[in-house]
Amino acid sequence: MFKYRGDYELHKIFTDDFAQLYKVYSPENPVLVPIPLSKERMYERGFNQAEALASLLPAEVAYPLTRKHTEKQAKKTREERLQNHRVFELVDPELVTKRNVILIDDLYTTGVTLHEAALCLKDVAAAIYSFTIYR
């Protein structure tokens, strides 16, 4: 994925695919929530690939979640990924309260990342959807 190459501009190759996905599957008046990186991972990478993808869509972007620093998902086995709980914290619920949330992430492997983020939002959001570019 483009995140490992350190080239932020590569996210633009997904513009048409993401626009089509949004056009077909977007709920009414959504708020986009990119899956956050930990401070350490953000420093290491220099950009958040999910945030880059969210910038391609014509909707408000909000940052109600923070992420704890853990070992890179790519270095974990499937079983280790499935045990990865409580990595997100809801720090600003007002941003998504009673809103249709679209979680944005670059990669869907086991679904744990999106599931854990959705768990943090489920009590405040109206509905939760997810968009990814790769499975």
Side-chain angles (χ1 to χ4, degrees), residues 31-49:
V31 59
L32 308 175
V33 176
I35 294 295
L37 297 177
S38 67
K39 290 177 187 176
E40 294 85 354
R41 194 75 66 234
M42 183 68 173
Y43 177 78
E44 175 184 297
R45 194 168 293 149
F47 66 96
N48 179 335
Q49 69 283 358

Side-chain angles (χ1 to χ4, degrees), residues 44-97:
E44 175 184 297
R45 194 168 293 149
F47 66 96
N48 179 335
Q49 69 283 358
E51 189 175 317
L53 293 170
S55 75
L56 301 174
L57 300 176
E60 175 188 349
V61 179
Y63 304 92
L65 300 172
T66 60
R67 184 182 191 135
K68 298 173 191 169
H69 185 65
T70 60
E71 183 180 9
K72 290 180 180 180
Q73 293 285 68
K75 292 186 176 189
K76 294 180 180 181
T77 66
R78 176 171 170 46
E79 292 75 28
E80 289 170 329
R81 289 176 189 219
L82 293 172
Q83 298 302 317
N84 198 22
H85 299 289
R86 306 221 184 245
V87 296
F88 298 107
E89 180 181 359
L90 181 60
V91 293
D92 201 349
E94 297 82 26
L95 295 174
V96 294
T97 299

Side-chain angles (χ1 to χ4, degrees), residues 108-126:
Y108 183 102
T109 306
T110 61
V112 171
T113 300
L114 291 169
H115 179 77
E116 289 295 316
L119 282 176
C120 287
L121 301 171
K122 73 177 182 68
D123 291 333
V124 294

